[in-house]
Structure formats: C-alpha cells, structure tokens
Amino acid sequence: MKMNLPNKLTIARIILTPFFLAAILWESLPHRFLIATAIYAAGAITDAVDGHLARKNGQVTNFGKLLDPIADKILTTSALLAFMSMGLCNIWIVMIVLAREFAVASVRMIAAADGVVIPANMWGKAKTVSQMTFTIIIMLLCETDYILRTSFSKEIFSAANTWFTLPHISNLLLWITAALTVVSGAIYLKDSKNVIDYSK
C-alpha cells in the first residue's frame, strides 16, 4: 500500500531523532547545540505540516492518528533525556512525562483492541507545542552559553553567569511542560471513558 505524504513526514520525524540526539550529545562537535536545534526544528515542522496536510487533503488515516503522537513522543522524550544527562532537566520532570505517555499509550492500545482510534486532544497538542518550543529555546540558550564561554574571559563570564543560570531557566521551562503534561493526560483519560468500556 502506498503511503501518503503526511505519514511520510511523520516517519521522517522519527528518523530525524537519532541524528538530533547524536548532535546534541557530541561534545566535541563545534556549535552542536545550533546543529541540534536545526535538526529538532525540522522535526517540529513536520509535526505541524503532516496534520495540516492530512486534514486539508482528506488523507487522515488510522495509521497517521496512531503514529503521529508516537513520533512526537520519540522526538520530545529524546530531548528530555539529553537535557537530563546534561544537568538541564530534573529527573522528576522526565518521570512525570514518561508516566503520562505510558498511561495514554495504554489507553490507545485498549481502544485499538475495541476498534477505536483516539486522536490527540487540544491539550495534548498544547503540551507538545510547548515542549518543542521550550526545547528549542533551551538549546539556543545552550548555544549562547557556549559562545560566551569561548568568546569572553572567565571573569567576565562568571559575572554574567550570576543572572544567566542555564539549569534554572531550563528546569523552569520544562516544569511548565510537565504541568501541561499532567493536565492533558488527565483530560485524555477522562475523555477516554466516553469511548472505552473499562469493565470488559
């Protein structure tokens, strides 16, 4: 069966993820954060474009409804794990996000067994958009941090770093995403009761 363009873009987002992860974790790569930002932004763009094209051209498929949120989770979770390894993301944020994703994925599998496909809701999309946006902001801040470290003396950088505390800013932004994650997950589970019989 021939795959449509929206689904190809969704798969492209999954393929981009290991390249993004390799770039951001490659410490000897010059301007690695800028390169990682470009790759991540390309993945984020496919997320915006695939759904728009699917709705516009009448190419919405069950395959796309299921794979699109999975592709989002693969890309966004890889960024959280990278940030955690760099000291830019509290482990509790990762736990909250992963717990929500596993819970929602479980509901989707139960629904699929009943022949029901539950697409992402508005709150889920808001969570994904905020997470992608904040991830890009954090990586750009990391690039700025890199430029400051390599362009100025340690004394000047230390003075600037009293107000520019990258881990604090990063964690603040990601806690906002974690809060949206909890809200979107709770609403998703609540709405699922309308289409799934949990007594079976």
Side-chain angles (χ1 to χ4, degrees):
M1 182 179 71
K2 187 175 180 181
M3 187 176 297
N4 62 38
L5 179 58
N7 289 343
K8 287 180 180 178
L9 290 173
T10 300
I11 290 176
R13 186 154 68 256
I14 297 174
I15 294 173
L16 284 172
T17 300
F19 292 97
F20 155 73
L21 205 54
I24 196 172
L25 296 178
W26 189 352
E27 295 184 3
S28 61
L29 180 66
H31 301 287
R32 60 179 170 134
F33 297 111
L34 201 57
I35 296 171
T37 299
I39 298 172
Y40 190 91
I45 290 171
T46 67
D47 180 44
V49 172
D50 61 3
H52 173 74
L53 288 178
R55 291 186 295 271
K56 180 182 177 182
N57 299 328
Q59 295 178 315
V60 177
T61 62
N62 287 340
F63 177 80
K65 287 180 182 179
L66 288 171
L67 191 63
D68 180 66
I70 291 174
D72 292 342
K73 291 172 181 57
I74 291 173
L75 180 62
T76 55
T77 303
S78 69
L80 288 181
L81 293 174
F83 288 157
M84 187 175 69
S85 73
M86 296 159 55
L88 299 176
C89 178
N90 189 292
I91 191 172
W92 287 103
I93 296 174
V94 178
M95 188 281 291
I96 290 170
V97 172
L98 289 181
R100 183 267 188 194
E101 304 303 8
F102 281 125
V104 170
S106 298
V107 171
R108 282 203 174 98
M109 285 190 288
I110 295 171
D114 289 340
V116 177
V117 176
I118 308 176
N121 59 34
M122 179 188 69
W123 286 97
K125 286 294 184 182
K127 180 269 299 182
T128 300
V129 170
S130 71
Q131 192 170 347
M132 288 181 170
T133 301
F134 290 157
T135 296
I136 290 173
I137 291 173
I138 291 167
M139 289 191 292
L140 291 177
L141 289 175
C142 287
E143 180 66 20
T144 302
D145 181 77
Y146 168 78
I147 293 173
L148 287 173
R149 288 180 183 277
T150 55
S151 301
F152 298 96
S153 66
K154 291 184 178 180
E155 293 76 12
I156 294 176
F157 178 79
S158 296
N161 206 37
T162 57
W163 58 269
F164 183 78
T165 310
L166 188 54
H168 290 165
I169 296 173
S170 174
N171 275 287
L172 174 62
L173 294 176
L174 294 175
W175 270 117
I176 295 174
T177 291
L180 286 173
T181 295
V182 172
V183 172
S184 66
I187 292 175
Y188 189 92
L189 295 177
K190 175 180 174 292
D191 291 345
S192 70
K193 294 181 180 179
N194 298 325
V195 294
I196 297 177
D197 184 2
Y198 287 103
S199 65
K200 291 181 179 180

